[in-house]
Amino acid sequence: VVKALTSRRRATAAARHGRSGTPTIYEVAKHAGVSIATVSRVQRRAEAVAEPTRRRVEQAIAELAYRPSMVARSLAQGRHDAIGIVFPDLSGPWYSAVILGYEEASAAEGRSVLILGTHGRQNADAQVVDLAARVDGLVIMGQTVDDAVVADIVRRGIAVVLLARPANEHTKDVDSIRTDGRSSGSALVSHVLDHGHHDVAFVGDPGASPDASERWSAFKREHARRGLRLRPAVPSGYREADGRRVAFALLRGPDRPAAVVAANDEIAMGVIAAARATGIDVPRELAVTGWDDIPVAEHLTPPLTTVRQPMQELGRRAAALLHERLSENRTAPRHEVLPTELVVRASCGCQSPTVEGD
Amino acid sequence: VVKALTSRRRATAAARHGRSGTPTIYEVAKHAGVSIATVSRVQRRAEAVAEPTRRRVEQAIAELAYRPSMVARSLAQGRHDAIGIVFPDLSGPWYSAVILGYEEASAAEGRSVLILGTHGRQNADAQVVDLAARVDGLVIMGQTVDDAVVADIVRRGIAVVLLARPANEHTKDVDSIRTDGRSSGSALVSHVLDHGHHDVAFVGDPGASPDASERWSAFKREHARRGLRLRPAVPSGYREADGRRVAFALLRGPDRPAAVVAANDEIAMGVIAAARATGIDVPRELAVTGWDDIPVAEHLTPPLTTVRQPMQELGRRAAALLHERLSENRTAPRHEVLPTELVVRASCGCQSPTVEGD
DNA sequence: TTGTACGCGTTATCAT
DNA sequence: ATGATAACGCGTACAA
């Protein structure tokens, strides 16, 4: 009775797909005159199969244009061979570079990549949890979701890497990767002050992100070290338009600074645009620096002095951390920190561009 | 006997997952004192369930932190609720913008997005076929794979949209989307010639892509229309470094042109950089135009005159075409063409920036 | 309204 | 070396 039931079940499956759609392993087996186990073995090139049998099966696979169902395989194996990445916004050049590095490294390891932009949506948490149900591992960038969601995903056994997100007590057991901008940040601010500018404004919102906060700290630190008067930070969004708007007010105001240290390159672009529109020469009348070294930076006029972030490398290393967890069964949390470097171009007042390591 | 077998099967499944890992629908059912069918109904908010029962199940789901397995669901339903996109290279700003639009529109429809960059790899075909086994639909950009692969994927019942890829007899039944650069291209070349430049060079490789070919055609067409001497195209890769290298030779050569129409913005950037390094003023001594209107274009010095591609919109519309096939059961092939527009800035010699529609 | 049991297409274990 | 079949976790006819 049992045998009869089972073979009837299988028969229907094979028959159904024999007619329409893509062929299943049952069809290939029938076509080659073997069992599905043998087809599976041949298909996975794994176990020992006699040469003549293998050839028969391979021919059947070719004739039927058989492709195994990744879904069925995933269900049987309990894994996806896919990993994901969550970012707040793809429109910035920063994130695309990270994703590129991530995709490249992941594809090389044979893993598919799923992307999800939260775009500051309200249901971002639900979307991220959904994504987590489709992957073996996940990179979460910045402040896209909160710690509770991260913890939930980790509890489900999904490998997680936090990227450019500050560690705290809730996430200290989760892998993380970030850059260290302190040393380069000090170098940048120092460099600006070395130009003799003693009235420098920081444009950006220190409270907006850990990165911005770190940059503002470097700014404060160097001022304190030299005993210089510290101007309060000039709040600004992180986009070019924000920087431009804020800079117009700043440059036309009563207390125009001699230099601007912007929290990122896009803000710096806005400052330069505002200066030009106001008839202020950069860098002669106003030195400007940025942060990140996005691709545009070197093509601006003047070319932007900034701090370079290894964006593609961040993505690549994040993929590598995931790979270690998934394929090499690492369990101890790792926290990687990548160095940044000061890139001196002309917007600070220098003539000849040079690059200094971090 | 049959009943005994079945319940034993189910019991093992539930028991195994009762101990470790994530809970299954069986556990939730047991916890709530209902059958898995009821849990499934509640979970999908679809069919009618008595209110008290629903509450019990929802509580069980919450207590166990149950999340349905997307893989099992996919296998049972025969679909993925995921779509993919294949691009040659993410490093260009062009592709990231398209992908952004695609991701945004897809996420809004509740579909996950898988990305695959072929990077000119040799095994790109295999990777694309692999990706196709994980999605319901797929956008294929440019010349990433050849027609045979596309046909194979379509035959498997995967919805395909070709993006920025010329149609031919093999792919005429496949959805496609592209931009029409003819009219804007003519307008661009016309504009340059109207500036009085009668010795204009086209920098780019017409054979490299359909886009480049279309652009070169516009160049030829306008020259023919005015009966002007046509310079042969100056071959160049599509990257900034390529344009710069080629431009150095061109500008130092014996037959320096009065203007350069570059096949894309990145090449144009290279040309401008080379001109500056050679001491040639742009646009006074050399007019330069680009193509695509990448984000940098307006920030160059001088701001670049170019043809704007609706890149995000391309991605959004591609997602919409897929959605029509998958959710609205459209079967007739659609071929969409999006307009481009001439963007006049200063690099052509104009003073005040304006925008003309296509 | 709720429950039973089959089916989805693989992989993997255990016989043979 | 090969075959039979349990198991993966869900959706859903069909029955009750």
Side-chain angles (χ1 to χ4, degrees), chain A residues 84-102:
Chain A
I85 185 166
V86 180
F87 54 88
D89 194 335
L90 188 56
S91 65
W94 210 95
Y95 299 107
S96 9
V98 174
I99 293 172
L100 170 63
Y102 185 69

Side-chain angles (χ1 to χ4, degrees), chain B residues 153-168:
Chain B
I153 292 170
V154 170
R155 199 181 316 120
R156 291 199 142 73
I158 312 295
V160 171
V161 172
L162 268 19
L163 196 153
R165 179 184 178 120
N168 62 33

Side-chain angles (χ1 to χ4, degrees), chain B residues 274-293:
Chain B
R276 177 166 302 127
T278 315
I280 298 171
D281 183 78
V282 177
R284 197 171 49 78
E285 299 174 281
L286 179 75
V288 177
T289 65
W291 224 298
D292 290 344
D293 195 26

